Amino acid sequence: MLFSAENERALKNLVKQTKVFLLDMDGTVYIENELIGDMKNTLASIRSSGRRLVYFTNNSSKTVAEYEAKLKKLGIFGEGDFVYTSGTATIEFLNEHYAGKRVYLVGTEGLKGEFAAGGVQISSADEAEVAVLAYDTTLTFEKLTEINRLIAEGKPYIATHPDAVCPAKGVFPPDVGSFIQLLKCSSGREPDIICGKPYTVMGDCIKRRLALPASAIAMAGDRPHTDIRFGNNNGFHTLLVLSGETDAALAERTPDRAEAVAQSLNDLVKYL
């Protein structure tokens, strides 16, 4: 049973052992621009308990600065908090494994600027040595054609994350996972590396950034197949919240089992 005494013990133990919460955003902290319940006070209580908050997202269409601006506008970006995206993880991966290589990035202009500021050499497709696919909300046929050629030619091929769709009101728009399938059909290849949740590149990067063992980190999110699978793949504590994409029925039948389940992140307060 989801909300059994066993689940309550697991939730209490998770909070006790956690020093940093990695928070998925949409569906976990807010839905679009509306905070979930008394989230502002919940996050303040977590900080007051001596724990840190990392806003942790796969969405690579926005920069860290853009996310910070949104969180500040919502009144939930506090001292010691920071934003970490799949784009950030991809920058760190490129600097570790492809330092100095010329990169063709399919991404927004803001993301290109963030990559360049992070030390990645952005180039045209004609000069590129590495192909990187991000969530480009300004995607054009020309961009698809250029990256498809690089992929077909055998250049190293990296994607920021695998989400098929991006959460939104109404019909969900296609995300990087959908782009990956399109390019697989045309080029015959899938990415050599996917950096974001649920894979381990992003997990390894955030452990280095925090200088903490996996046992001190908890992933909290509303998607079993990304958030919870990511936590399990990286040895983190996992908290599934039912405030977003997942309801109680899905939580019961998913193969990606969380360490504990809560109606929302607000349930943590009584265990702090």
Side-chain angles (χ1 to χ4, degrees), residues 20-120:
V20 177
F21 282 96
L22 308 179
L23 303 180
D24 176 62
M25 288 188 266
D26 208 339
T28 301
V29 176
Y30 53 71
I31 295 177
E32 295 202 348
N33 292 307
E34 184 175 342
L35 295 178
I36 295 168
D38 193 21
M39 189 59 63
K40 191 176 293 187
N41 285 326
T42 292
L43 299 176
S45 295
I46 294 172
R47 292 187 201 97
S48 296
S49 74
R51 296 169 175 87
R52 292 189 68 186
L53 302 174
V54 179
Y55 293 100
F56 202 77
T57 181
N58 262 358
N59 192 329
S60 58
S61 68
K62 296 182 177 65
T63 65
V64 167
E66 288 171 326
Y67 272 116
E68 286 181 359
K70 176 173 182 174
L71 295 167
K72 288 173 183 176
K73 187 176 181 180
L74 290 170
I76 56 171
F77 194 74
E79 185 176 354
D81 298 353
F82 66 91
V83 174
Y84 199 89
T85 74
S86 66
T88 311
T90 304
I91 291 169
E92 293 183 18
F93 179 83
L94 289 169
N95 284 332
E96 183 179 0
H97 297 279
Y98 295 97
K101 298 292 186 181
R102 296 183 299 275
V103 171
Y104 181 68
L105 172 63
V106 173
T108 62
E109 288 304 309
L111 190 68
K112 289 179 182 178
E114 189 168 76
F115 270 54
V120 176

Side-chain angles (χ1 to χ4, degrees), residues 133-136 139 174-184:
L133 177 66
Y135 186 25
D136 189 355
L139 186 64
D175 203 331
V176 173
S178 295
F179 303 164
I180 288 170
Q181 291 306 309
L182 184 157
L183 290 165
K184 179 183 177 183

